[in-house]
Amino acid sequence: MENFVEVHGYKNFVYCYDQGSITLVLLSGSGVPFPSLEYKTLAKALAKTYQVIGIEKLGYGRSDLTENNRDIDVVVHEYRSVLQKLGINSPIVLVAHSMGFLEALRWGQQYPFEIAGILGVDPATPDCYREFDVEGATKKLKEMSADVVCRKTTASALVEQFLKEQKISEKEKNEIEDLAFRNLANQNWIS
């Protein structure tokens, strides 16, 4: 199932593969523009045993853009609200890639009774960011955001990669290319 779930006036794109009694929730990394496409193979493989739910956070994939605060507590609240609207009961297992692992850790700190486990997939840990140049990375993202040619070229290359890996119609290709251009280095990523 693929669907939109509205939280606080914004639509999050959600993809679900429903086979098991244990629920896995996929949390994407920050540089994953289309989680529903990039994690599709993983989600389908896991769905042979588990119920798998992926939530594209605002500013990613088919989800809406927002100008609201994007700190980690807001993102965790949005994830929890989407699951509540879907009627998903805890405890759940978070399967978190890269920076999504930091979101999973925060979720576990704030709501430990909701989490049965956290599985990191190439996880970013707090130690990864102790000496990370946040200002430099933010500056580069802002430069990329302002560089229309770079964003268009990168979006096209990303879509071409999806075409090689998955069956995508011409209509979906055009939609994805437009969204990739919109999403790459957007303000949601930057914040």
Side-chain angles (χ1 to χ4, degrees), residues 130-190:
R130 295 218 192 281
E131 296 181 25
F132 184 72
D133 181 8
V134 173
E135 290 179 16
T138 302
K139 180 181 176 192
K140 287 181 181 183
L141 279 173
K142 286 180 178 178
E143 289 170 358
M144 182 179 178
S145 182
D147 187 339
V148 175
V149 173
C150 176
R151 285 177 43 229
K152 188 71 173 168
T153 303
T154 304
S156 294
L158 180 65
V159 172
E160 290 303 317
Q161 178 183 336
F162 290 146
L163 288 172
K164 290 178 185 175
E165 297 171 356
Q166 301 178 29
K167 294 178 183 176
I168 296 175
S169 70
E170 190 64 29
K171 179 182 175 190
E172 190 176 20
K173 174 189 178 240
N174 292 335
E175 174 195 8
I176 291 168
E177 198 163 62
D178 290 345
L179 288 170
F181 177 72
R182 177 197 81 168
N183 291 347
L184 286 169
N186 69 41
Q187 186 57 42
N188 295 159
W189 284 29
I190 294 167

Side-chain angles (χ1 to χ4, degrees), residues 22-90:
I22 297 173
T23 301
L24 306 180
V25 177
L26 302 180
L27 306 181
S28 72
S30 65
V32 179
F34 281 96
S36 61
L37 293 176
E38 294 184 58
Y39 300 142
K40 189 177 214 171
T41 303
L42 173 65
K44 285 186 172 185
L46 292 170
K48 293 176 182 172
T49 307
Y50 306 100
Q51 176 184 31
V52 179
I53 298 173
I55 304 168
E56 292 184 336
K57 38 187 173 222
L58 297 178
Y60 290 76
R62 294 176 177 96
S63 292
D64 287 344
L65 294 175
T66 180
E67 293 185 18
N68 293 342
N69 179 359
R70 300 308 305 146
D71 72 29
I72 196 165
D73 291 329
V74 169
V75 174
V76 168
H77 171 74
E78 290 168 356
Y79 286 144
R80 293 177 69 242
S81 296
V82 167
L83 293 177
Q84 182 181 26
K85 288 196 171 198
L86 290 172
I88 303 299
N89 298 315
S90 56

Side-chain angles (χ1 to χ4, degrees), residues 89-101:
N89 298 315
S90 56
I92 58 173
V93 175
L94 301 176
V95 179
H97 172 230
S98 189
M99 197 174 284
F101 192 73

Side-chain angles (χ1 to χ4, degrees), residues 72 96 98-107 124-126 129:
I72 196 165
S98 189
M99 197 174 284
F101 192 73
L102 297 176
E103 297 164 353
L105 291 176
R106 183 66 173 167
W107 194 337
T125 64
Y129 293 96

